[in-house]
Amino acid sequence: MILEPLTLPPDHGLPDVLLTELTALYASQRDFHALSGDFPDPDGIRPEQVAAALADELAGPDAEVLLARGGGGLVGIAITLDHHPDPADPDPWIGLLMIDAGVQGHGHGRRLASLVEDRFRAAGRTAVRLAVLGNNPAGLAFWTALGYEVIDHREDLRSGRPCAVLRKRLV
């Protein structure tokens, strides 16, 4: 698996081929988007919605979007945040890790999570955090199987949804 950072050109436009790949990835995770409510119609995710969501993510100064490629195509995406908006929170965050549903269950999620952790370790970070929606037991099971521990329960900053906050030491 290869990670490539996504950078948006000044006009925020993504190349059509890449936007098509990203839209297919997002659309493949219909059940997750039904849980999250991030898209108004999880059965009809459109390219312009994906482009806008990624532009919003990249608008933050500490955000990075990483594309995971393997087997000749896009298999996943990770969105990270080097610093949380709360200055009392010293850890970087994984804001989203999503694998194409068509290749889920083949270890791509574990591999992508490991590569993200390695990037944070290489940057001298000692732990990483993430939040799992309270209505996503499969997501919670995935992350706890990777060694993440629940450290808090609170609402997410963007939409006020109940979440479990998890943390993993990287040293």
Side-chain angles (χ1 to χ4, degrees), residues 87-120:
D89 183 345
D91 298 325
W93 280 67
I94 298 172
L96 176 70
L97 188 139
M98 187 167 46
I99 299 299
D100 186 296
V103 296
Q104 213 165 349
H106 297 281
H108 295 296
R110 287 179 181 276
R111 180 74 180 125
L112 180 52
S114 178
L115 290 171
V116 169
E117 292 166 5
D118 290 346
R119 288 173 68 89
F120 285 134

mmCIF file of all heavy atoms in Angstrom, residues 87-120:
data_model
loop_
_atom_site.group_PDB
_atom_site.id
_atom_site.type_symbol
_atom_site.label_atom_id
_atom_site.label_comp_id
_atom_site.label_asym_id
_atom_site.label_seq_id
_atom_site.Cartn_x
_atom_site.Cartn_y
_atom_site.Cartn_z
ATOM 1 N N PRO A 87 -6.410 23.301 22.792
ATOM 2 C CA PRO A 87 -4.978 23.381 23.092
ATOM 3 C C PRO A 87 -4.547 22.462 24.231
ATOM 4 O O PRO A 87 -3.359 22.153 24.361
ATOM 5 C CB PRO A 87 -4.765 24.849 23.458
ATOM 6 C CG PRO A 87 -6.103 25.425 23.683
ATOM 7 C CD PRO A 87 -7.108 24.551 23.003
ATOM 8 N N ALA A 88 -5.486 21.983 25.040
ATOM 9 C CA ALA A 88 -5.137 21.058 26.120
ATOM 10 C C ALA A 88 -4.921 19.631 25.604
ATOM 11 O O ALA A 88 -4.457 18.770 26.337
ATOM 12 C CB ALA A 88 -6.235 21.062 27.183
ATOM 13 N N ASP A 89 -5.255 19.390 24.337
ATOM 14 C CA ASP A 89 -5.116 18.063 23.741
ATOM 15 C C ASP A 89 -3.794 18.016 22.969
ATOM 16 O O ASP A 89 -3.674 18.634 21.910
ATOM 17 C CB ASP A 89 -6.296 17.795 22.811
ATOM 18 C CG ASP A 89 -6.269 16.405 22.206
ATOM 19 O OD1 ASP A 89 -5.222 15.728 22.255
ATOM 20 O OD2 ASP A 89 -7.304 15.994 21.666
ATOM 21 N N PRO A 90 -2.818 17.273 23.464
ATOM 22 C CA PRO A 90 -1.491 17.286 22.827
ATOM 23 C C PRO A 90 -1.334 16.347 21.639
ATOM 24 O O PRO A 90 -0.327 16.403 20.937
ATOM 25 C CB PRO A 90 -0.579 16.827 23.965
ATOM 26 C CG PRO A 90 -1.440 15.868 24.738
ATOM 27 C CD PRO A 90 -2.837 16.467 24.682
ATOM 28 N N ASP A 91 -2.307 15.485 21.409
ATOM 29 C CA ASP A 91 -2.129 14.422 20.424
ATOM 30 C C ASP A 91 -2.668 14.788 19.046
ATOM 31 O O ASP A 91 -3.638 15.521 18.931
ATOM 32 C CB ASP A 91 -2.864 13.154 20.890
ATOM 33 C CG ASP A 91 -2.335 12.609 22.201
ATOM 34 O OD1 ASP A 91 -1.113 12.709 22.442
ATOM 35 O OD2 ASP A 91 -3.142 12.078 22.991
ATOM 36 N N PRO A 92 -2.067 14.214 18.009
ATOM 37 C CA PRO A 92 -2.672 14.315 16.679
ATOM 38 C C PRO A 92 -3.903 13.406 16.623
ATOM 39 O O PRO A 92 -4.078 12.530 17.486
ATOM 40 C CB PRO A 92 -1.563 13.813 15.748
ATOM 41 C CG PRO A 92 -0.776 12.866 16.588
ATOM 42 C CD PRO A 92 -0.832 13.419 17.990
ATOM 43 N N TRP A 93 -4.730 13.610 15.616
ATOM 44 C CA TRP A 93 -5.977 12.858 15.480
ATOM 45 C C TRP A 93 -6.100 12.225 14.105
ATOM 46 O O TRP A 93 -5.642 12.784 13.112
ATOM 47 C CB TRP A 93 -7.173 13.802 15.675
ATOM 48 C CG TRP A 93 -7.473 14.094 17.103
ATOM 49 C CD1 TRP A 93 -6.697 14.799 17.984
ATOM 50 C CD2 TRP A 93 -8.633 13.711 17.828
ATOM 51 N NE1 TRP A 93 -7.304 14.866 19.206
ATOM 52 C CE2 TRP A 93 -8.506 14.220 19.140
ATOM 53 C CE3 TRP A 93 -9.775 12.999 17.493
ATOM 54 C CZ2 TRP A 93 -9.473 14.011 20.112
ATOM 55 C CZ3 TRP A 93 -10.748 12.812 18.463
ATOM 56 C CH2 TRP A 93 -10.585 13.306 19.757
ATOM 57 N N ILE A 94 -6.757 11.094 14.072
ATOM 58 C CA ILE A 94 -7.240 10.511 12.830
ATOM 59 C C ILE A 94 -8.707 10.909 12.757
ATOM 60 O O ILE A 94 -9.514 10.482 13.587
ATOM 61 C CB ILE A 94 -7.083 8.978 12.808
ATOM 62 C CG1 ILE A 94 -5.608 8.594 12.921
ATOM 63 C CG2 ILE A 94 -7.717 8.405 11.532
ATOM 64 C CD1 ILE A 94 -5.374 7.096 13.090
ATOM 65 N N GLY A 95 -9.040 11.747 11.805
ATOM 66 C CA GLY A 95 -10.408 12.232 11.677
ATOM 67 C C GLY A 95 -11.289 11.276 10.890
ATOM 68 O O GLY A 95 -12.494 11.217 11.106
ATOM 69 N N LEU A 96 -10.679 10.549 9.974
ATOM 70 C CA LEU A 96 -11.430 9.587 9.162
ATOM 71 C C LEU A 96 -10.449 8.572 8.619
ATOM 72 O O LEU A 96 -9.338 8.929 8.194
ATOM 73 C CB LEU A 96 -12.127 10.293 7.984
ATOM 74 C CG LEU A 96 -12.875 9.395 7.001
ATOM 75 C CD1 LEU A 96 -14.136 8.807 7.641
ATOM 76 C CD2 LEU A 96 -13.250 10.157 5.735
ATOM 77 N N LEU A 97 -10.848 7.322 8.652
ATOM 78 C CA LEU A 97 -10.134 6.269 7.954
ATOM 79 C C LEU A 97 -11.215 5.432 7.296
ATOM 80 O O LEU A 97 -12.090 4.891 7.975
ATOM 81 C CB LEU A 97 -9.296 5.427 8.917
ATOM 82 C CG LEU A 97 -8.373 4.431 8.221
ATOM 83 C CD1 LEU A 97 -7.023 4.396 8.907
ATOM 84 C CD2 LEU A 97 -8.985 3.053 8.140
ATOM 85 N N MET A 98 -11.185 5.388 5.978
ATOM 86 C CA MET A 98 -12.240 4.711 5.241
ATOM 87 C C MET A 98 -11.620 3.852 4.145
ATOM 88 O O MET A 98 -10.756 4.317 3.396
ATOM 89 C CB MET A 98 -13.194 5.752 4.626
ATOM 90 C CG MET A 98 -14.402 5.161 3.983
ATOM 91 S SD MET A 98 -15.684 6.385 3.588
ATOM 92 C CE MET A 98 -14.780 7.702 2.834
ATOM 93 N N ILE A 99 -12.077 2.617 4.079
ATOM 94 C CA ILE A 99 -11.618 1.660 3.077
ATOM 95 C C ILE A 99 -12.780 1.367 2.133
ATOM 96 O O ILE A 99 -13.933 1.257 2.567
ATOM 97 C CB ILE A 99 -11.145 0.345 3.760
ATOM 98 C CG1 ILE A 99 -9.970 0.619 4.717
ATOM 99 C CG2 ILE A 99 -10.780 -0.716 2.736
ATOM 100 C CD1 ILE A 99 -8.730 1.185 4.060
ATOM 101 N N ASP A 100 -12.483 1.214 0.855
ATOM 102 C CA ASP A 100 -13.508 0.863 -0.121
ATOM 103 C C ASP A 100 -14.186 -0.430 0.326
ATOM 104 O O ASP A 100 -13.512 -1.418 0.627
ATOM 105 C CB ASP A 100 -12.865 0.683 -1.501
ATOM 106 C CG ASP A 100 -13.886 0.469 -2.583
ATOM 107 O OD1 ASP A 100 -14.595 -0.564 -2.545
ATOM 108 O OD2 ASP A 100 -13.987 1.322 -3.475
ATOM 109 N N ALA A 101 -15.501 -0.407 0.392
ATOM 110 C CA ALA A 101 -16.254 -1.571 0.874
ATOM 111 C C ALA A 101 -15.988 -2.823 0.041
ATOM 112 O O ALA A 101 -16.060 -3.931 0.553
ATOM 113 C CB ALA A 101 -17.752 -1.262 0.902
ATOM 114 N N GLY A 102 -15.639 -2.647 -1.215
ATOM 115 C CA GLY A 102 -15.376 -3.788 -2.085
ATOM 116 C C GLY A 102 -14.117 -4.551 -1.734
ATOM 117 O O GLY A 102 -13.958 -5.707 -2.144
ATOM 118 N N VAL A 103 -13.219 -3.936 -0.983
ATOM 119 C CA VAL A 103 -11.976 -4.608 -0.581
ATOM 120 C C VAL A 103 -11.833 -4.673 0.936
ATOM 121 O O VAL A 103 -10.774 -5.025 1.451
ATOM 122 C CB VAL A 103 -10.727 -3.948 -1.221
ATOM 123 C CG1 VAL A 103 -10.762 -4.077 -2.734
ATOM 124 C CG2 VAL A 103 -10.585 -2.502 -0.795
ATOM 125 N N GLN A 104 -12.901 -4.348 1.638
ATOM 126 C CA GLN A 104 -12.877 -4.404 3.094
ATOM 127 C C GLN A 104 -12.721 -5.859 3.541
ATOM 128 O O GLN A 104 -13.183 -6.776 2.867
ATOM 129 C CB GLN A 104 -14.176 -3.817 3.648
ATOM 130 C CG GLN A 104 -14.012 -3.127 4.944
ATOM 131 C CD GLN A 104 -15.212 -2.253 5.277
ATOM 132 O OE1 GLN A 104 -16.083 -2.008 4.451
ATOM 133 N NE2 GLN A 104 -15.255 -1.787 6.492
ATOM 134 N N GLY A 105 -12.059 -6.053 4.667
ATOM 135 C CA GLY A 105 -11.873 -7.393 5.191
ATOM 136 C C GLY A 105 -10.623 -8.086 4.680
ATOM 137 O O GLY A 105 -10.409 -9.269 4.942
ATOM 138 N N HIS A 106 -9.768 -7.349 3.975
ATOM 139 C CA HIS A 106 -8.532 -7.912 3.443
ATOM 140 C C HIS A 106 -7.292 -7.307 4.097
ATOM 141 O O HIS A 106 -6.195 -7.433 3.563
ATOM 142 C CB HIS A 106 -8.466 -7.717 1.925
ATOM 143 C CG HIS A 106 -9.555 -8.422 1.185
ATOM 144 N ND1 HIS A 106 -9.530 -9.767 0.907
ATOM 145 C CD2 HIS A 106 -10.732 -7.957 0.700
ATOM 146 C CE1 HIS A 106 -10.630 -10.106 0.268
ATOM 147 N NE2 HIS A 106 -11.384 -9.029 0.132
ATOM 148 N N GLY A 107 -7.473 -6.619 5.221
ATOM 149 C CA GLY A 107 -6.336 -6.051 5.948
ATOM 150 C C GLY A 107 -5.949 -4.647 5.536
ATOM 151 O O GLY A 107 -5.011 -4.077 6.094
ATOM 152 N N HIS A 108 -6.666 -4.054 4.585
ATOM 153 C CA HIS A 108 -6.315 -2.707 4.137
ATOM 154 C C HIS A 108 -6.495 -1.665 5.247
ATOM 155 O O HIS A 108 -5.694 -0.738 5.367
ATOM 156 C CB HIS A 108 -7.144 -2.305 2.908
ATOM 157 C CG HIS A 108 -6.858 -3.136 1.703
ATOM 158 N ND1 HIS A 108 -5.637 -3.160 1.079
ATOM 159 C CD2 HIS A 108 -7.661 -3.988 1.008
ATOM 160 C CE1 HIS A 108 -5.683 -3.977 0.045
ATOM 161 N NE2 HIS A 108 -6.894 -4.494 -0.010
ATOM 162 N N GLY A 109 -7.538 -1.795 6.038
ATOM 163 C CA GLY A 109 -7.764 -0.849 7.126
ATOM 164 C C GLY A 109 -6.660 -0.902 8.165
ATOM 165 O O GLY A 109 -6.151 0.125 8.603
ATOM 166 N N ARG A 110 -6.268 -2.109 8.543
ATOM 167 C CA ARG A 110 -5.159 -2.275 9.498
ATOM 168 C C ARG A 110 -3.870 -1.680 8.930
ATOM 169 O O ARG A 110 -3.137 -1.003 9.636
ATOM 170 C CB ARG A 110 -4.921 -3.757 9.801
ATOM 171 C CG ARG A 110 -5.967 -4.382 10.655
ATOM 172 C CD ARG A 110 -5.629 -5.873 10.881
ATOM 173 N NE ARG A 110 -6.642 -6.497 11.671
ATOM 174 C CZ ARG A 110 -6.675 -6.465 12.995
ATOM 175 N NH1 ARG A 110 -5.723 -5.855 13.657
ATOM 176 N NH2 ARG A 110 -7.648 -7.058 13.658
ATOM 177 N N ARG A 111 -3.617 -1.955 7.669
ATOM 178 C CA ARG A 111 -2.387 -1.461 7.042
ATOM 179 C C ARG A 111 -2.396 0.059 6.967
ATOM 180 O O ARG A 111 -1.390 0.711 7.269
ATOM 181 C CB ARG A 111 -2.232 -2.074 5.651
ATOM 182 C CG ARG A 111 -0.991 -1.630 4.933
ATOM 183 C CD ARG A 111 0.246 -2.306 5.528
ATOM 184 N NE ARG A 111 1.417 -1.848 4.812
ATOM 185 C CZ ARG A 111 2.470 -1.308 5.390
ATOM 186 N NH1 ARG A 111 2.542 -1.182 6.684
ATOM 187 N NH2 ARG A 111 3.485 -0.896 4.675
ATOM 188 N N LEU A 112 -3.516 0.646 6.578
ATOM 189 C CA LEU A 112 -3.604 2.097 6.486
ATOM 190 C C LEU A 112 -3.444 2.724 7.871
ATOM 191 O O LEU A 112 -2.714 3.703 8.031
ATOM 192 C CB LEU A 112 -4.928 2.514 5.843
ATOM 193 C CG LEU A 112 -5.174 4.019 5.685
ATOM 194 C CD1 LEU A 112 -4.021 4.733 4.997
ATOM 195 C CD2 LEU A 112 -6.485 4.251 4.946
ATOM 196 N N ALA A 113 -4.101 2.169 8.881
ATOM 197 C CA ALA A 113 -3.958 2.692 10.237
ATOM 198 C C ALA A 113 -2.499 2.624 10.684
ATOM 199 O O ALA A 113 -1.966 3.578 11.274
ATOM 200 C CB ALA A 113 -4.853 1.924 11.207
ATOM 201 N N SER A 114 -1.835 1.532 10.383
ATOM 202 C CA SER A 114 -0.431 1.374 10.753
ATOM 203 C C SER A 114 0.460 2.399 10.049
ATOM 204 O O SER A 114 1.367 2.973 10.666
ATOM 205 C CB SER A 114 0.023 -0.052 10.410
ATOM 206 O OG SER A 114 1.383 -0.229 10.706
ATOM 207 N N LEU A 115 0.199 2.657 8.779
ATOM 208 C CA LEU A 115 0.989 3.651 8.050
ATOM 209 C C LEU A 115 0.781 5.056 8.615
ATOM 210 O O LEU A 115 1.736 5.839 8.714
ATOM 211 C CB LEU A 115 0.640 3.619 6.558
ATOM 212 C CG LEU A 115 1.113 2.380 5.800
ATOM 213 C CD1 LEU A 115 0.517 2.353 4.394
ATOM 214 C CD2 LEU A 115 2.628 2.316 5.743
ATOM 215 N N VAL A 116 -0.446 5.371 8.998
ATOM 216 C CA VAL A 116 -0.717 6.677 9.609
ATOM 217 C C VAL A 116 0.014 6.783 10.945
ATOM 218 O O VAL A 116 0.653 7.799 11.238
ATOM 219 C CB VAL A 116 -2.238 6.905 9.765
ATOM 220 C CG1 VAL A 116 -2.521 8.123 10.622
ATOM 221 C CG2 VAL A 116 -2.902 7.049 8.398
ATOM 222 N N GLU A 117 -0.057 5.733 11.753
ATOM 223 C CA GLU A 117 0.652 5.729 13.031
ATOM 224 C C GLU A 117 2.159 5.903 12.812
ATOM 225 O O GLU A 117 2.816 6.655 13.550
ATOM 226 C CB GLU A 117 0.370 4.437 13.787
ATOM 227 C CG GLU A 117 -1.053 4.312 14.264
ATOM 228 C CD GLU A 117 -1.415 2.897 14.702
ATOM 229 O OE1 GLU A 117 -0.526 2.009 14.721
ATOM 230 O OE2 GLU A 117 -2.594 2.683 15.032
ATOM 231 N N ASP A 118 2.706 5.214 11.817
ATOM 232 C CA ASP A 118 4.138 5.339 11.513
ATOM 233 C C ASP A 118 4.512 6.770 11.152
ATOM 234 O O ASP A 118 5.582 7.257 11.541
ATOM 235 C CB ASP A 118 4.540 4.397 10.366
ATOM 236 C CG ASP A 118 4.523 2.936 10.763
ATOM 237 O OD1 ASP A 118 4.455 2.623 11.971
ATOM 238 O OD2 ASP A 118 4.562 2.094 9.833
ATOM 239 N N ARG A 119 3.659 7.448 10.416
ATOM 240 C CA ARG A 119 3.929 8.854 10.056
ATOM 241 C C ARG A 119 3.982 9.734 11.308
ATOM 242 O O ARG A 119 4.849 10.594 11.425
ATOM 243 C CB ARG A 119 2.850 9.381 9.103
ATOM 244 C CG ARG A 119 2.951 8.811 7.700
ATOM 245 C CD ARG A 119 1.760 9.228 6.859
ATOM 246 N NE ARG A 119 1.738 10.637 6.555
ATOM 247 C CZ ARG A 119 2.304 11.213 5.503
ATOM 248 N NH1 ARG A 119 2.947 10.469 4.631
ATOM 249 N NH2 ARG A 119 2.206 12.507 5.315
ATOM 250 N N PHE A 120 3.053 9.499 12.228
ATOM 251 C CA PHE A 120 3.058 10.275 13.470
ATOM 252 C C PHE A 120 4.280 9.936 14.325
ATOM 253 O O PHE A 120 4.893 10.823 14.902
ATOM 254 C CB PHE A 120 1.766 10.056 14.261
ATOM 255 C CG PHE A 120 0.577 10.778 13.692
ATOM 256 C CD1 PHE A 120 -0.639 10.129 13.542
ATOM 257 C CD2 PHE A 120 0.649 12.117 13.322
ATOM 258 C CE1 PHE A 120 -1.747 10.794 13.034
ATOM 259 C CE2 PHE A 120 -0.452 12.791 12.811
ATOM 260 C CZ PHE A 120 -1.652 12.122 12.670
#
